[in-house]
Amino acid sequence: MSHQYVNFFWLIVAAALFVFWIGYWLVHILAIVYGKWKLHHKSCKQPKETPYPAVSILKPLTGVDVNLFSNLETFFTMQYPVYELLFCICDESDPSLMLVKKLMEKYPKIDAQIFIGGEKVGINPKINNIQLGYASAKYELFMISDSGIRMKEDTLIDMVEHMKEDVGLIHQMPFVCDREGFPATLEKIYFGTAHARIYLAADFVGVNCATGMSALMRKSLIDDAGGLKAFGCYLAEDFFLAKAIKDRGWKIGICSQPAWQNSGICHIPTFQERIIRWAKLRIAMVPSTIIFEPVSECMLLGALAAWSIYWLFEWDPLAVGLLHILAWFILDWILLSVVQDGPLPFSKFEFVLGWFLRELTAPFLFLNALFRPTIRWKAGIYRLKWGGVVEELKPKGKP
């Protein structure tokens, strides 16, 4: 009798894994179809009687890289009627200050200001940095844009056009510019496949997936939640800003243009540390991540699916596993092509190498995040607590 119960238990487990496996293929298809429909649409022209609202753009800056000047310049050359640029710099010795002053001299007609020093309102160094700029923002719509973001001339128009009357936050799906080198290829593969798949599917069903690298918000809603300083206790302020807006009955969503990350620093260890940091934040904010994220990766899910199908149907697990990897690989290539919206800047062979490296290392990066909960970010070290709150172990500037 006990043997029958054991068999029944494993039958239920196998059936649950099989259903999850089938469901995840639907996520693949949904991301491709929704991405094809949603991304890279050309902005339509609004009638003159409905002018675009003015926008305040907060730019937190710390340090420089080889692409910073050209990235910042794209904000001075946007085709948008009225906006202000609020550059927030940690201190007067930061080399980014000189670049900003050069751009302000080059484009004197653009409304731009510099705020130095920030204000200590919490643990989050980004929130502290932009606090003075936020307090001085003149317009109801404000945008937080990281230093590594590159804008197209019509990006802001695209974001504002998606800010409907019932929408409180519009963000851009993270992607990366075309750059040379294998690390850049690996980044593009990640953001155009694994990250894009979940991001697009989550946006379609209305799940909070907002990232703060490029996000447009209504200032009155954030003020109602206590202002930006109320989110200084979190490292993942973007998640909680979006949550506060959704909790007030407003919608959030993505625009049609991805966020073009164009950092001049591109190394595999740096990229992997970034992935680990994001995983740590997800684990702290959404504990179910501990279970569902690992089994959503290609290799582990393929192994589990092969076992479950063998248990249920007695099919060859090796054949099932190989077919699983091949189908996943093909769908990822299709999704990446959709997100890129043009020819990929690398060969199919480079894609194979980058894709396998990403998929094979993903479980190890997640285990690193799970068993090392502290985060090193900027010059500080932080300990994450459940719910996303953090405490600083090594204050910035101290040995």
Side-chain angles (χ1 to χ4, degrees):
M1 192 68 173
S2 60
H3 182 68
Q4 290 179 337
Y5 281 127
V6 170
N7 285 342
F8 180 72
F9 170 77
W10 288 116
L11 180 65
I12 295 299
V13 172
L17 287 172
F18 180 74
V19 171
F20 181 82
W21 182 65
I22 295 297
Y24 208 77
W25 289 116
L26 297 179
V27 172
H28 275 276
I29 301 301
L30 173 61
I32 291 171
V33 174
Y34 184 59
K36 187 67 175 178
W37 175 79
K38 180 73 176 180
L39 299 178
H40 304 292
H41 288 178
K42 294 296 182 182
S43 301
C44 59
K45 293 183 179 180
Q46 280 191 335
K48 291 183 179 179
E49 61 268 18
T50 56
Y52 292 108
V55 178
S56 299
I57 302 176
L58 298 171
K59 293 290 296 183
L61 301 176
T62 303
V64 300
D65 61 50
V66 295
N67 292 336
L68 181 62
F69 186 87
S70 63
N71 289 338
L72 294 180
E73 189 169 22
T74 62
F75 286 82
F76 285 86
T77 58
M78 292 189 299
Q79 299 300 311
Y80 196 82
V82 181
Y83 65 95
E84 63 173 346
L85 295 173
L86 307 174
F87 294 98
C88 303
I89 302 173
C90 291
D91 57 69
E92 297 238 7
S93 63
D94 196 291
S96 63
L97 178 59
M98 179 181 66
L99 299 185
V100 173
K101 288 182 176 179
K102 285 184 177 180
L103 287 167
M104 291 174 64
E105 293 175 1
K106 186 176 180 180
Y107 300 95
K109 293 184 179 180
I110 300 298
D111 184 2
Q113 299 181 66
I114 298 173
F115 299 88
I116 298 175
E119 180 182 352
K120 180 74 173 180
V121 296
I123 294 296
N124 189 308
K126 181 176 177 180
I127 293 293
N128 293 338
N129 191 13
I130 63 177
Q131 186 61 34
L132 295 179
Y134 176 80
S136 300
K138 296 185 290 188
Y139 305 123
E140 163 63 5
L141 293 184
F142 78 98
M143 178 182 180
I144 299 176
S145 176
D146 287 354
S147 61
I149 297 298
R150 187 176 186 86
M151 299 285 272
K152 294 184 177 180
E153 288 186 347
D154 61 342
T155 300
L156 189 54
I157 289 177
D158 182 58
M159 297 182 76
V160 170
E161 285 185 345
H162 281 81
M163 185 69 81
K164 307 299 182 183
E165 292 184 356
D166 58 345
V167 176
L169 183 151
I170 289 295
H171 51 111
Q172 291 184 274
M173 187 187 80
F175 197 44
V176 288
C177 292
D178 295 348
R179 292 172 294 174
E180 295 182 355
F182 184 72
T185 297
L186 183 62
E187 284 193 15
K188 187 173 281 283
I189 290 171
Y190 169 75
F191 283 107
T193 59
H195 194 276
R197 184 190 316 124
I198 298 302
Y199 213 91
L200 289 167
D203 183 71
F204 179 80
V205 299
V207 173
N208 179 7
C209 61
T211 58
M213 64 179 63
S214 182
L216 182 70
M217 290 166 268
R218 298 185 186 273
K219 195 169 188 290
S220 58
L221 297 180
I222 303 305
D223 287 341
D224 183 59
L228 278 184
K229 62 183 179 182
F231 302 90
C233 59
Y234 308 107
L235 279 187
E237 80 291 336
D238 43 13
F239 175 86
F240 292 99
L241 284 166
K243 183 178 184 298
I245 289 172
K246 284 179 67 69
D247 288 347
R248 284 161 174 75
W250 292 74
K251 296 180 181 178
I252 66 174
I254 63 172
C255 64
S256 69
Q257 292 191 23
W260 294 97
Q261 302 174 80
N262 191 41
S263 173
I265 301 172
C266 189
H267 307 295
I268 291 179
T270 304
F271 166 70
Q272 291 181 332
E273 282 298 323
R274 189 181 181 195
I275 301 305
I276 291 171
R277 184 173 72 246
W278 285 358
K280 290 177 181 180
L281 291 170
R282 289 194 298 272
I283 290 170
M285 295 183 298
V286 187
S288 59
T289 297
I290 297 173
I291 298 174
F292 289 106
E293 187 161 321
V295 298
S296 299
E297 295 291 351
C298 176
M299 299 305 172
L300 181 56
L301 182 56
L304 294 173
W307 173 84
S308 69
I309 291 174
Y310 174 75
W311 185 275
L312 295 171
F313 309 111
E314 296 187 355
W315 292 0
D316 184 354
L318 179 59
V320 171
L322 291 176
L323 286 173
H324 164 91
I325 293 173
L326 177 61
W328 196 294
F329 175 87
I330 293 172
L331 291 178
D332 272 357
W333 172 268
I334 295 172
L335 179 58
L336 178 58
S337 300
V338 168
V339 177
Q340 176 76 7
D341 192 38
L344 295 172
F346 44 78
S347 67
K348 291 182 176 63
F349 177 71
E350 290 174 303
F351 176 75
V352 171
L353 290 180
W355 187 86
F356 271 104
L357 177 61
R358 212 302 298 181
E359 297 299 337
L360 290 172
T361 57
F364 299 100
L365 297 181
F366 185 82
L367 289 175
N368 186 306
L370 182 62
F371 293 110
R372 292 174 55 198
T374 58
I375 286 182
R376 182 182 296 274
W377 190 43
K378 306 297 184 184
I381 299 177
Y382 307 88
R383 177 185 291 124
L384 284 167
K385 299 180 179 179
W386 294 117
V389 177
V390 293
E391 61 176 338
E392 192 171 11
L393 300 180
K394 180 183 178 184
K396 185 176 180 180
K398 293 187 179 182

